[in-house]
Amino acid sequence: MSDQLASRLISLVVPFYNEGEGVEGFYHAILPVLDSVQDISFEVVCVDDGSRDDTLEKLVAIAGRDARFSVIELSRNFGKEAALTAGIDAASGDAVIPIDADLQDPPELIPAMIREWRQGADVVLARRVNRMSDSFLKRKSAELFYRFHNRLSDIQIPDNVGDFRLMDRSAVDALKRLPERQRFMKGLFAWIGFRTATVGYTRALRAVGKTKFSGYRLWNFALEGITSFSTAPLKVWTYFGGLGALAAFIYASFIVIRTVIYGIDIPGYASLLVVVLFLGSLQLISVGLLGEYIGRIYVESKQRPIYLVRRHHGKPLSGD
Ligand code: UDP
Ligand code: MG
């Protein structure tokens, strides 16, 4: 991978959604890193994901005074995953590093990632050694999610690893070949494979502003992850149904025999109702689950673009 002769280009891809207060802070935090690594030049692809505050103006101002920065303005808020995709599509570097705008991914880690890359890794993961900056509930639910997901799915998502990572051009091009509309980036990143190395860091508190991922959004995110990479929830109902049918058959034989021997008897009413309600609710759950998958098939079948660009600011980017 490493190439001592030519200077290499690395693209930082940064999604921004209502980060107005944080733009300058991000710029000043990232500057020293851009100058710190020998024989590497940087471009910073900022994606404005339909912010409603002054994020865009501030980004455009920075792109105006620093030629390494460019801005992709999306036509509305498409969500972080789509914003990342837009940035990665436009990035032209020999390696790409997606990084959050709120400085929760420490830019100081970038030189260490580049070192691993130069030693031959295609993907360098940044693993959080502790998540104390997240709330207890978020930590626990994340842990549970990863355990559940990795059980169900053939693709193992490494835990405590976010979108912050370095990807060699070969891995980026592989990623671009995954066409799905509903993009669970962590899963897609894991799916492509490649030779992977890891560096550790402690996740900081958000510099300014607050998180854009509420409880409900995180829940949807988890559903997305599981339904994108596993069909086990679809299949498990066959077994539940089989077990239920078997139990019902045994119970029915028992009742028939009892009726033959003792005659008709009303008190069976309660247990019957319990069985009917239980099976009914199982059916509703499984129908709901089918709905989750069919809804996703529906969205995929429309083949809509993952994001729409309103304008490029700063230097024209290759790719797209
Ligand atoms: N973000 C985005 N679009 C969205 C939500 C978030 O581009 O719809 C960006 C946000 O500006 C930040 C990154 O994604 O740079 C991570 O978001 P956040 O810090 O809110 O997530 P958390 O760190 O709490 O998981
Ligand atoms: Mg954050």
Side-chain angles (χ1 to χ4, degrees), residues 26 30 96 157 224 229 234:
F26 175 79
I30 209 84
V96 173
I157 298 181
E224 193 67 64
F229 284 91
L234 276 178

Side-chain angles (χ1 to χ4, degrees), residues 20-42:
E21 315 162 70
V23 172
E24 281 296 324
F26 175 79
Y27 179 61
H28 290 291
I30 209 84
L31 270 187
V33 176
L34 301 192
D35 300 322
S36 69
V37 190
Q38 264 191 356
D39 294 330
I40 297 269
S41 47
F42 284 92

Side-chain angles (χ1 to χ4, degrees), residues 48-117:
D48 175 54
D49 187 16
S51 298
R52 279 182 291 269
D53 61 359
D54 57 353
T55 303
L56 179 67
E57 290 90 88
K58 286 184 171 165
L59 287 176
V60 171
I62 288 174
R65 65 177 193 258
D66 190 328
R68 292 171 295 190
F69 284 71
S70 59
V71 185
I72 301 173
E73 179 189 348
L74 299 188
S75 63
R76 66 172 168 83
N77 179 248
F78 282 90
K80 181 186 176 187
E81 317 280 307
L84 269 184
T85 305
I88 290 172
D89 284 350
S92 53
D94 300 303
V96 173
I97 305 179
I99 177 169
D100 281 1
D102 58 9
L103 296 177
Q104 283 193 290
D105 303 332
E108 310 82 70
L109 208 63
I110 291 175
M113 293 166 113
I114 293 174
R115 223 170 297 131
E116 292 285 343
W117 177 52

Side-chain angles (χ1 to χ4, degrees), residues 8 16 40 61 85 101 113 118 158 169 175 181 200 220 226 240 255 276 288:
R8 318 204 79 194
F16 287 82
I40 297 269
T85 305
M113 293 166 113
R118 282 179 154 160
R169 174 50 55 188
L175 188 71
R181 318 285 110 188
N220 273 326
I226 287 170
F240 273 117
I255 290 180
V276 168

Side-chain angles (χ1 to χ4, degrees), residues 152-154 226-237 289 293:
L152 286 185
S153 163
D154 300 334
I226 287 170
T227 52
S228 300
F229 284 91
S230 168
T231 50
L234 276 178
K235 297 174 190 151
V236 69
W237 297 100
L289 239 155
Y293 280 91

Side-chain angles (χ1 to χ4, degrees), residues 233-308:
L234 276 178
K235 297 174 190 151
V236 69
W237 297 100
T238 319
Y239 301 98
F240 273 117
L243 279 180
L246 190 71
F249 181 73
I250 294 170
Y251 186 56
S253 329
F254 166 71
I255 290 180
V256 167
I257 293 167
R258 198 181 57 175
T259 310
V260 167
I261 299 175
Y262 297 105
I264 292 166
D265 127 78
I266 305 285
Y269 179 70
S271 56
L272 260 177
L273 200 65
V274 167
V275 171
V276 168
L277 286 180
F278 178 68
L279 286 181
S281 52
L282 272 193
Q283 281 165 357
L284 275 186
I285 296 173
S286 56
V287 168
L289 239 155
L290 283 178
E292 291 285 345
Y293 280 91
I294 292 174
R296 284 178 170 78
I297 296 171
Y298 175 59
V299 170
E300 294 293 338
S301 71
K302 284 189 288 197
Q303 294 278 306
R304 288 193 180 149
I306 296 163
Y307 57 85
L308 290 173

Side-chain angles (χ1 to χ4, degrees), residues 15 17 19 49 77 101-102 104 203 206 211-213 217:
Y17 178 52
E19 301 280 2
D49 187 16
N77 179 248
D102 58 9
Q104 283 193 290
R203 191 156 170 86
R206 218 174 198 292
T211 176
K212 274 90 197 169
F213 286 86
R217 219 168 160 175

